[in-house]
């Protein structure tokens, strides 16, 4: 890995969500198949929420109700005036 630890770090925190992730044995099979492909230096951690089908919705619902959302949201008017640059300005 050219002495750079970053490629090994990318496997330390993987998350699977969505309906397919709820299939019985999915996490175990995915982990076993991926382990064979990742560098030996990599810690492999696959996170699977209790209900992967709604995990993303729950997270974004909480974000949408938070104070952070009101600070980071880009209005339609801001987007129409500046396009993607409106988001860049808002997040930086």
């Amino acid at each position: 890995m050219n002495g750079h630890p970053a490629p090994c770090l990318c496997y330390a925190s993987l998350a699977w969500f969505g309906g397919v992730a709820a299939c019985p044995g999915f996490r175990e099979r995915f982990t076993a198949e991926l382990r064979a492909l990742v560098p030996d230096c990599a810690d492999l951690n696959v996170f699977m929420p209790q209900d992967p089908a709604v995990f993303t919705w729950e997270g974004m619902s909480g974000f949408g109700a938070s104070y952070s959302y009101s600070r980071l949201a880009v209005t339609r008017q801001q987007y129409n005036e500046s396009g993607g640059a409106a988001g860049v300005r808002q997040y930086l």
Side-chain angles (χ1 to χ4, degrees):
M1 291 283 136
N2 299 330
H4 298 289
C8 292
L9 293 175
C10 357
Y11 300 100
S13 186
L14 300 173
W16 272 102
F17 39 86
V20 173
C23 292
F26 179 82
R27 178 183 181 186
E28 293 76 16
R29 180 176 175 179
F30 174 78
T31 302
E33 290 184 16
L34 186 60
R35 179 76 263 175
L37 300 174
V38 301
D40 292 336
C41 65
D43 288 332
L44 182 58
N45 180 32
V46 179
F47 167 75
M48 184 138 353
Q50 189 168 353
D51 189 351
V54 297
F55 181 71
T56 305
W57 183 90
E58 289 172 337
M60 291 310 295
S61 173
F63 173 66
S66 72
Y67 173 73
S68 294
Y69 177 77
S70 63
R71 288 185 306 113
L72 296 172
V74 174
T75 67
R76 181 182 176 131
Q77 181 180 351
Q78 289 170 317
Y79 182 81
N80 286 339
E81 291 172 2
S82 304
V88 172
R89 280 196 307 271
Q90 201 77 345
Y91 302 133
L92 296 177

